[in-house]
């Protein structure tokens, strides 16, 4: 017999046998597939001491028994039912929150922090807003502190 004929004749029977062992449709399909992989690999060495069906059923039974034994060795632990879902914020969500907090600042502060976010040097920011370098440096520090507080109020930071 060629493999395709063997498979067509015995696959449904082997599947039902595997279902009897594991009572799980997907697992039984996997075991059936594993069985026929073994049949295909060893078909040339089949000695015909027994009927081919007996040989295939023996391979399937051994696969099922090994699978059940492996399943017994694996420790199954149930997860607690009341786990809090911790949603990780995306970078986009964090940026949106930052810009909402910036929108709550005074106009001058919004301009200054926007220029900081554009990576402009402090001297250039001072020239744009008409402040001294020292005053600009202090304002930037204070604005960052305000934003930090606002982010904490929103529970993010």
């Amino acid at each position: 017999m060629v493999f395709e004929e063997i498979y067509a004749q015995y696959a449904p029977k082997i599947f039902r046998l595997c279902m009897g062992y594991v009572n799980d449709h997907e697992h039984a399909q996997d075991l059936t597939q594993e069985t026929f992989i073994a049949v295909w690999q060893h078909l040339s060495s089949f000695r015909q001491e027994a009927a081919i069906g007996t040989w295939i059923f023996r391979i399937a039974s051994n696969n099922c028994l090994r699978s059940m034994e492996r399943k017994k060795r694996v420790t199954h632990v149930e997860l607690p039912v009341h786990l809090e879902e911790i949603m990780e914020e995306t970078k986009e969500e964090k940026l949106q929150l930052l810009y909402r907090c910036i929108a709550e600042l005074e106009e001058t502060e919004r301009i200054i922090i926007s220029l900081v976010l554009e990576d402009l040097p402090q001297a250039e920011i001072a020239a744009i807003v008409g402040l001294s370098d020292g005053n600009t440096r202090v304002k930037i520090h204070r604005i960052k502190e305000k934003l930090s507080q606002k982010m904490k109020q929103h529970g993010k930071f």
Side-chain angles (χ1 to χ4, degrees), residues 51-109:
I52 193 149
T54 306
W55 180 63
I56 294 170
F57 276 102
R58 190 75 221 144
I59 292 171
S61 294
N62 287 338
N63 279 344
C64 291
L65 291 171
R66 276 193 303 274
S67 173
M68 291 169 60
E69 195 60 38
R70 280 191 303 262
K71 193 173 183 177
K72 284 181 187 175
R73 282 185 264 155
V74 175
T75 306
H76 296 281
V77 178
E78 299 261 342
L79 288 176
V81 178
H82 304 292
L83 286 179
E84 282 187 41
E85 186 174 345
I86 300 172
M87 299 294 285
E88 190 66 30
E89 282 188 296
T90 64
K91 189 174 183 178
E92 183 64 33
E93 291 170 332
K94 289 177 183 177
L95 279 173
Q96 287 175 358
L97 176 61
L98 175 63
Y99 282 109
R100 277 196 308 262
C101 291
I102 289 172
E104 296 173 7
L105 296 172
E106 297 173 14
E107 184 178 352
T108 308
E109 293 173 334

Side-chain angles (χ1 to χ4, degrees), residues 99 102 109-120:
Y99 282 109
I102 289 172
E109 293 173 334
R110 284 196 313 263
I111 293 169
I112 292 172
I113 198 65
S114 296
L115 295 172
V116 168
L117 291 173
E118 292 297 323
D119 287 330
L120 267 66

Side-chain angles (χ1 to χ4, degrees), residues 20-53:
Y21 276 99
V22 297
N23 197 25
D24 177 349
H25 190 270
E26 290 179 12
H27 193 191
Q29 284 180 323
D30 290 344
L31 289 168
T32 302
Q33 185 177 15
E34 290 173 20
T35 297
F36 281 99
I37 289 171
V39 168
W40 180 73
Q41 288 174 336
H42 298 97
L43 188 58
S44 62
S45 63
F46 176 60
R47 295 183 301 236
Q48 298 182 352
E49 293 173 358
I52 193 149

